[in-house]
Amino acid sequence: MEQASLRDLNEPLIDHAEGQFFLNEAFKIIMEEVLSNGTDVKQKVCEWKEPEELALLLDLGVRETGEPRDKLLQRVRDVAKYSVKTSHPHFFNQQYGGVDYHSLAGRFLTEALNTNLFTYEAAPVFVLMENEVLRGLRQLVGWTEGDGIFCPGGSTSNMYAMNLARYQRFPEVKSQGVWALPRLSIFTSPESHYSVKKGAAFLGIGLDNIIFVKVDDRGRLIPEDLDEKIELSKSQGAVPFLVSCMSGTTVQGVFDPLDHIADICDKHKLWMHVDACWGGSVPFSKKHRHLMKGVDRANSVAWNPHKMLVAGLQCSALLLKDTTNLLKQCHSANATYLFQQDKFYDVNLDIGDKSVQCSRKVDCLKLWLMWKAVGSMGLEERVDKAFIHARYLVEQMKKREGFQLLSMVAPVIKERMMKQGTMMVGYQPLGNKVNFFRVTVFSPLLSQKDMDFFLDEIERLGKDL
Amino acid sequence: MEQASLRDLNEPLIDHAEGQFFLNEAFKIIMEEVLSNGTDVKQKVCEWKEPEELALLLDLGVRETGEPRDKLLQRVRDVAKYSVKTSHPHFFNQQYGGVDYHSLAGRFLTEALNTNLFTYEAAPVFVLMENEVLRGLRQLVGWTEGDGIFCPGGSTSNMYAMNLARYQRFPEVKSQGVWALPRLSIFTSPESHYSVKKGAAFLGIGLDNIIFVKVDDRGRLIPEDLDEKIELSKSQGAVPFLVSCMSGTTVQGVFDPLDHIADICDKHKLWMHVDACWGGSVPFSKKHRHLMKGVDRANSVAWNPHKMLVAGLQCSALLLKDTTNLLKQCHSANATYLFQQDKFYDVNLDIGDKSVQCSRKVDCLKLWLMWKAVGSMGLEERVDKAFIHARYLVEQMKKREGFQLLSMVAPVIKERMMKQGTMMVGYQPLGNKVNFFRVTVFSPLLSQKDMDFFLDEIERLGKDL
Ligand SMILES: Cc1ncc(COP(=O)(O)O)c(C=O)c1O
Ligand SMILES: Cc1ncc(COP(=O)(O)O)c(C=O)c1O
């Protein structure tokens, strides 16, 4: 203890040579455990432990004194060992499985640079790069102009859209709060992502002011019902301001009919937001882009390259048609310590005030590097491949008996698969239907035999049930 | 073009061997350019280019077809070259300079694992680890119980506190929105971070409902004025609900008198939030923890280990005294596809619904690994060192002539330093004072000679002015 307090605090506390050696060793472990073993079909997807047992194994508590290098490297190995291998071909659990090495290189570089994306001075490369990537994404949506920003996830992108829609209609909300406004109403599909609810609660609009529009038997929002519900809401004294519709619902992957919805939004002069967090990548594909026909008529689009494009968490873009600097007007606080106006370069490049964050991670580099590596054509292939696998699975399931009967036993099958670690896939109820498995199969790492494995494995795990 | 469309989309699109080779090469470049050259005092902090020139150099546009490996590696090198070296000893510009190699190893591992922190099933290690790290941080605040969560930055942590304070007082806000509530008011220091403004606007409370309390000549909030302003606000028909006070203001590093403020909050039964994003690390230091005396009486504390502790962006903890599961009640949406209640393990470990995000990055691993590596004592040294350097700078500046006269010429000096790339430091006005330089000197990499360099360099850059 005395030893430490005698260290000369006028000198650096960190030794670069030792630090870089450690980082090198840790990198080797990451390569081996996460990227080689972790993507090997012969290895487990997860190494299930009960929480109490895992806590003991990992010895998580922090202490007064530090630990030696070898112990720390063992910790790196243990964290890798007991974590779920999200890049494993049998991880079908959620919408972020898989790995892209170019993106991952971009992510390592992002971490090492530790750049804060608020001013040109602090982030010259990334201010320009974010701009360019957003331009590329907007182009796919069909916009030659516009605005946008990367957000810490699609939920935040959806919330931003909600706040912008409100501010555009009632700019006084920024200074006076919601009290100055009539009661607002939001329209969305019952299949929409729960972030619409979280957003309405967080922004002070309230869950009761979300109105759920009917969907057809394929889960698509019915424009006529939207029209009626808007009229009804008006007649009840509320002011409709936002329609939040879906390109790729979370559970079933449904695409709402955007063109028809746009007609209704035009008619009532409502902000049209498209939550394309999951489906937003289809415009890359000539075959499938028709699913989002009409998206260019929206006011905003939320799109998560960390899902179908495997860009890595987090990577979510909010795209805006607006050309009036609404994003900045709505979110700015004009802090003098960051956004001085007497700078020696064009202060329009200081984009930080468009965000409600202050520190903001660089989320564009990983997408940019991946896009440069495979081109738009490479990304198109990934989208097409995802559809091919999904279709194959559906066809195969129809041929196999018993796949309709899974619902009662889903939790048991899930428990068995987790404890054996052979694969991971999520289950859930939907509406008044009972439990079913939701398989996500978009990763570019997958092959048809992984689809077959999925089917065989469900059968194996459930055969005595 | 035909070639590509002939690829068999039933097979994987990504080659692990090639991908891992690329990642290895990129890692070497990162080591060399960012961590070796980038921390070398003999090299530049930044390689200034005008935006148009930089855009050309980087060739940022994305295209139909991909690029070969060597070209991509050159891109990695260029991004590194033209980015600001935030770990360079002469980067005094903002509160996130410096590098910790253990933390960085944790960040690389985080990226490779690509874990989404919402359920125990998907993130067994990190659910437990986040818990443990939050417990460790709460202990420093003086709480043996409580709750908490990592947020994408301190601004979000501050917003969460605002939303929780509102919900605790008026739970109906979640369903009915702000319309159901009386007009609310928030109390804070004029020196508080701009995220209080951004939060009030975003949450539908409005900037006009922030009431700025007077500060003394050292910039500390005056409790008597707080008391009066609360009374005044009540008499004007508003309902005060939150006092957001500061442990370490952004510009001057001022610590508000928490104990006195707590008395006033007790008296009026208001939620007391401490924005300790910048100063929150002082409890590690026996010498300096008195600055936050009384923090244990707060309801919530926001603390950014990505600032003084150099944990890397983003790392921000919101700590709560609450033991009633307020965080989850306030933010939950109970999505059935993630948070099924018929799971085979304790669903209290599925912490995702405490967040308003859905996907949530793992921000605890980097802090945990660093803490394990140097212990609480090592972090104490970093805090003490930051104070030693700050004090040294103040003393030296008093001895040098001309340092009071900088204000008129700050923008010119700044432009010169950026274009020469010798160092980076921010300037700004404060209240009715004119521009001054705001030097941040907390990085554990710094030595006293870097302080001397700062002073000499300012003199050199400004000597003809
Ligand atoms: C349709 C849809 N929208 C939004 C989101 C939220 O995105 P994030 O997890 O990045 O917050 C999801 C995530 O599952 C989603 O499926
Ligand atoms: C006192 C204070 N609070 C909050 C913040 C915001 O933190 P973040 O940048 O992580 O959003 C800052 C950042 O400068 C700060 O100095």
Side-chain angles (χ1 to χ4, degrees):
Chain A
M1 300 270 288
E2 268 312 280
Q3 197 65 6
S5 63
L6 291 176
R7 275 173 73 171
D8 181 358
L9 296 181
N10 288 314
E11 291 303 315
L13 292 173
I14 288 175
D15 174 357
H16 286 291
E18 169 60 24
Q20 288 174 18
F21 182 85
F22 183 85
L23 190 60
N24 241 313
E25 295 300 302
F27 179 74
K28 286 184 215 158
I29 296 171
I30 292 170
M31 276 294 211
E32 187 187 321
E33 293 290 338
V34 184
L35 298 170
S36 298
N37 296 339
T39 58
D40 179 353
V41 287
K42 295 186 293 299
Q43 308 264 345
K44 288 185 179 182
V45 180
C46 59
E47 184 68 52
W48 176 263
K49 296 285 170 201
E50 297 297 330
E52 302 71 28
E53 189 188 355
L54 184 58
L56 275 179
L57 273 168
L58 293 174
D59 170 35
L60 291 166
V62 285
R63 310 210 171 79
E64 276 297 298
T65 49
E67 294 180 348
R69 184 209 288 161
D70 286 348
K71 181 110 187 232
L72 293 167
L73 289 171
Q74 185 56 45
R75 291 192 177 282
V76 169
R77 212 175 271 283
D78 287 345
V79 167
K81 177 170 177 190
Y82 295 108
S83 287
V84 169
K85 305 303 180 301
T86 59
S87 305
H88 192 289
H90 300 161
F91 178 84
F92 304 108
N93 209 60
Q94 266 118 358
Q95 300 156 313
Y96 58 92
V99 63
D100 177 283
Y101 290 96
H102 297 105
S103 165
L104 192 53
R107 293 156 75 189
F108 283 10
L109 180 55
T110 301
E111 295 298 320
L113 286 168
N114 201 38
T115 308
N116 209 331
L117 192 40
F118 36 51
T119 60
Y120 182 74
E121 159 193 336
V125 173
F126 301 121
V127 163
L128 300 178
M129 187 184 286
E130 183 169 273
N131 244 332
E132 196 56 41
V133 173
L134 289 169
R135 188 208 312 274
L137 295 175
R138 276 197 309 265
Q139 212 158 34
L140 285 156
V141 163
W143 296 334
T144 52
E145 293 181 305
D147 201 351
I149 192 165
F150 279 86
C151 295
S155 302
T156 307
S157 296
N158 285 340
M159 261 182 227
Y160 271 34
M162 202 178 276
N163 196 39
L164 290 165
R166 177 171 72 176
Y167 176 80
Q168 193 209 35
R169 185 78 168 261
F170 298 104
E172 60 272 31
V173 68
K174 187 170 174 181
S175 52
Q176 298 174 46
V178 165
W179 295 281
L181 278 47
R183 190 164 60 80
L184 303 176
S185 55
I186 296 169
F187 299 81
T188 193
S189 154
E191 311 281 309
S192 67
H193 186 257
Y194 68 73
S195 49
V196 176
K197 291 188 191 168
K198 294 208 174 199
F202 202 61
L203 269 58
I205 294 170
L207 301 178
D208 294 350
N209 295 311
I210 304 175
I211 295 172
F212 293 101
V213 179
K214 280 194 201 134
V215 293
D216 64 20
D217 52 8
R218 286 160 63 192
R220 296 177 311 176
L221 191 143
I222 301 174
E224 294 72 24
D225 190 59
L226 172 62
D227 194 20
E228 282 170 29
K229 292 247 162 75
I230 292 171
E231 295 290 2
L232 183 65
S233 177
K234 284 182 184 174
S235 73
Q236 291 167 343
V239 175
F241 78 109
L242 170 68
V243 176
S244 189
C245 49
M246 304 301 300
S247 286
T249 57
T250 311
V251 176
Q252 295 188 297
V254 173
F255 289 78
D256 284 334
L258 302 184
D259 241 341
H260 288 147
I261 293 171
D263 292 339
I264 311 291
C265 290
D266 279 353
K267 176 177 161 194
H268 296 282
K269 299 202 170 40
L270 305 192
W271 184 288
M272 176 174 166
H273 173 64
V274 180
D275 176 352
C277 286
W278 174 225
S281 305
V282 302
F284 277 110
S285 162
K286 287 184 278 299
K287 266 203 209 72
H288 300 291
R289 63 171 61 130
H290 67 89
L291 290 166
M292 285 179 67
K293 188 167 172 302
V295 65
D296 55 306
R297 297 176 63 192
N299 297 87
S300 55
V301 177
W303 176 349
N304 279 8
H306 73 221
K307 297 190 192 283
M308 206 181 291
L309 297 182
V310 204
L313 291 170
Q314 58 200 34
C315 190
S316 174
L318 176 70
L319 306 176
L320 296 169
K321 191 196 264 164
D322 173 76
T323 55
T324 67
N325 219 4
L326 191 68
L327 191 54
K328 190 159 176 182
Q329 286 165 35
C330 180
H331 290 160
S332 63
N334 302 310
T336 51
Y337 81 100
L338 276 176
F339 306 114
Q340 308 91 320
Q341 297 301 305
D342 52 1
K343 284 186 176 175
F344 63 97
Y345 60 84
D346 178 4
V347 293
N348 286 320
L349 291 168
D350 290 354
I351 55 177
D353 227 9
K354 292 185 179 183
S355 174
V356 302
Q357 302 185 278
C358 169
S359 299
R360 187 160 66 93
K361 268 191 87 77
V362 170
D363 291 330
C364 58
L365 170 58
K366 52 196 167 196
L367 175 56
W368 178 80
L369 198 60
M370 177 172 84
W371 202 337
K372 282 285 194 191
V374 302
S376 300
M377 278 169 56
L379 299 178
E380 174 170 21
E381 286 182 325
R382 294 186 185 184
V383 175
D384 289 345
K385 180 181 177 60
F387 278 87
I388 289 173
H389 285 328
R391 197 159 303 152
Y392 177 79
L393 259 188
V394 172
E395 281 163 14
Q396 294 300 311
M397 275 193 267
K398 280 189 197 147
K399 290 188 196 157
R400 301 197 185 203
E401 279 171 25
F403 266 81
Q404 305 308 313
L405 304 170
L406 273 176
S407 52
M408 301 300 291
V409 297
V412 182
I413 292 184
K414 175 80 188 195
E415 178 171 358
R416 289 178 181 179
M417 89 173 66
M418 290 298 294
K419 291 190 171 168
Q420 294 175 28
T422 49
M423 76 175 178
M424 278 178 72
V425 55
Y427 73 89
Q428 64 158 106
L430 177 73
N432 45 20
K433 293 173 203 135
V434 281
N435 285 323
F436 66 95
F437 283 103
R438 182 181 70 123
V439 203
T440 56
V441 292
F442 61 89
S443 160
L445 298 173
L446 299 183
S447 67
Q448 191 169 300
K449 65 177 187 302
D450 299 310
M451 304 304 110
D452 294 330
F453 174 86
F454 167 78
L455 297 162
D456 294 343
E457 186 65 6
I458 289 277
E459 286 186 344
R460 186 185 73 79
L461 291 164
K463 74 168 169 290
D464 59 327
L465 295 173
Chain B
M1 300 270 286
E2 268 313 281
Q3 196 66 7
S5 63
L6 290 176
R7 274 173 74 170
D8 180 357
L9 296 182
N10 287 315
E11 292 303 315
L13 291 173
I14 288 175
D15 175 357
H16 286 290
E18 168 60 25
Q20 289 174 18
F21 181 86
F22 182 84
L23 190 59
N24 240 313
E25 295 300 302
F27 179 75
K28 286 184 215 157
I29 296 172
I30 291 170
M31 275 295 211
E32 186 187 323
E33 293 290 338
V34 184
L35 298 170
S36 298
N37 296 338
T39 57
D40 179 353
V41 286
K42 296 186 293 298
Q43 309 264 345
K44 288 184 179 182
V45 180
C46 60
E47 185 68 51
W48 176 262
K49 297 284 169 201
E50 296 297 330
E52 302 71 28
E53 189 187 356
L54 184 58
L56 275 180
L57 272 168
L58 294 174
D59 170 35
L60 291 166
V62 285
R63 309 208 171 80
E64 276 297 298
T65 49
E67 294 180 348
R69 183 208 288 161
D70 286 348
K71 181 111 186 233
L72 293 166
L73 289 171
Q74 185 56 45
R75 291 193 177 280
V76 168
R77 212 176 271 283
D78 288 345
V79 167
K81 177 170 177 189
Y82 294 108
S83 287
V84 169
K85 305 303 180 300
T86 59
S87 305
H88 192 289
H90 300 161
F91 178 83
F92 305 107
N93 210 58
Q94 266 117 357
Q95 301 156 312
Y96 57 92
V99 63
D100 176 282
Y101 289 96
H102 296 105
S103 166
L104 191 53
R107 292 155 76 189
F108 282 12
L109 180 55
T110 301
E111 295 298 321
L113 286 168
N114 201 38
T115 308
N116 209 330
L117 193 39
F118 37 52
T119 60
Y120 182 74
E121 159 194 335
V125 173
F126 300 121
V127 163
L128 300 178
M129 187 184 285
E130 182 169 273
N131 244 332
E132 197 55 42
V133 173
L134 289 169
R135 188 208 311 275
L137 295 175
R138 276 197 308 266
Q139 211 157 35
L140 285 155
V141 163
W143 296 334
T144 51
E145 294 182 304
D147 202 350
I149 192 166
F150 278 85
C151 295
S155 301
T156 306
S157 295
N158 285 341
M159 262 183 226
Y160 271 35
M162 202 177 276
N163 196 39
L164 290 166
R166 177 171 71 176
Y167 176 79
Q168 193 210 34
R169 185 78 168 260
F170 298 104
E172 61 272 30
V173 68
K174 187 171 173 180
S175 52
Q176 299 174 45
V178 164
W179 294 282
L181 277 47
R183 190 164 60 80
L184 303 176
S185 55
I186 296 169
F187 299 80
T188 194
S189 154
E191 310 281 309
S192 67
H193 186 257
Y194 68 73
S195 49
V196 176
K197 291 189 191 167
K198 294 208 174 199
F202 202 60
L203 268 59
I205 294 169
L207 301 178
D208 295 350
N209 295 311
I210 304 174
I211 294 171
F212 293 101
V213 179
K214 278 193 202 136
V215 292
D216 64 19
D217 52 8
R218 286 159 64 191
R220 297 178 310 177
L221 190 144
I222 300 174
E224 294 73 24
D225 190 59
L226 172 62
D227 194 20
E228 282 169 29
K229 291 247 162 76
I230 292 171
E231 294 290 4
L232 183 65
S233 176
K234 285 182 183 174
S235 74
Q236 291 167 344
V239 175
F241 77 110
L242 170 67
V243 176
S244 188
C245 50
M246 304 301 300
S247 286
T249 57
T250 311
V251 176
Q252 294 188 298
V254 173
F255 289 78
D256 283 335
L258 302 185
D259 242 340
H260 288 146
I261 293 171
D263 292 339
I264 311 290
C265 290
D266 279 353
K267 176 177 161 192
H268 296 281
K269 299 203 169 41
L270 305 192
W271 183 289
M272 175 173 166
H273 173 64
V274 180
D275 176 353
C277 286
W278 174 226
S281 305
V282 302
F284 276 110
S285 162
K286 287 184 276 298
K287 265 204 208 72
H288 300 291
R289 63 171 63 130
H290 66 88
L291 289 166
M292 284 180 68
K293 189 168 171 300
V295 65
D296 54 308
R297 297 175 63 192
N299 297 86
S300 55
V301 177
W303 176 349
N304 279 8
H306 73 220
K307 297 190 193 281
M308 206 182 290
L309 296 182
V310 204
L313 290 171
Q314 59 200 33
C315 191
S316 174
L318 175 70
L319 306 176
L320 297 169
K321 191 196 265 165
D322 173 75
T323 55
T324 67
N325 219 4
L326 191 69
L327 191 53
K328 190 160 176 181
Q329 286 165 35
C330 180
H331 290 160
S332 63
N334 302 311
T336 52
Y337 80 100
L338 275 177
F339 306 113
Q340 307 91 321
Q341 296 302 305
D342 52 0
K343 284 186 176 176
F344 62 97
Y345 61 83
D346 178 4
V347 293
N348 285 320
L349 291 168
D350 290 354
I351 54 176
D353 227 8
K354 292 185 179 184
S355 174
V356 302
Q357 302 185 278
C358 170
S359 298
R360 187 160 66 92
K361 267 190 88 78
V362 170
D363 292 329
C364 58
L365 170 58
K366 52 197 167 194
L367 174 57
W368 178 80
L369 197 60
M370 177 172 84
W371 203 337
K372 281 286 193 189
V374 302
S376 300
M377 278 168 57
L379 299 177
E380 174 170 22
E381 286 182 325
R382 294 186 185 183
V383 175
D384 289 345
K385 180 182 176 62
F387 278 88
I388 289 172
H389 285 327
R391 196 159 304 150
Y392 177 79
L393 258 188
V394 171
E395 281 162 15
Q396 295 300 311
M397 275 193 265
K398 280 190 196 144
K399 289 189 196 155
R400 300 196 186 205
E401 281 171 23
F403 266 82
Q404 304 309 312
L405 304 170
L406 273 175
S407 53
M408 301 301 291
V409 297
V412 182
I413 293 184
K414 175 81 189 195
E415 177 171 359
R416 289 179 181 179
M417 88 174 66
M418 290 298 294
K419 291 190 171 166
Q420 294 175 27
T422 50
M423 77 175 178
M424 278 179 71
V425 55
Y427 73 89
Q428 63 159 107
L430 178 72
N432 44 20
K433 293 175 202 134
V434 280
N435 285 323
F436 66 96
F437 282 103
R438 180 181 72 123
V439 204
T440 55
V441 292
F442 61 90
S443 161
L445 297 174
L446 300 183
S447 66
Q448 191 170 300
K449 65 178 187 300
D450 299 311
M451 303 304 111
D452 294 330
F453 174 86
F454 167 77
L455 297 162
D456 294 344
E457 186 65 8
I458 288 277
E459 286 186 343
R460 186 184 73 78
L461 290 164
K463 73 169 169 290
D464 59 325
L465 295 174

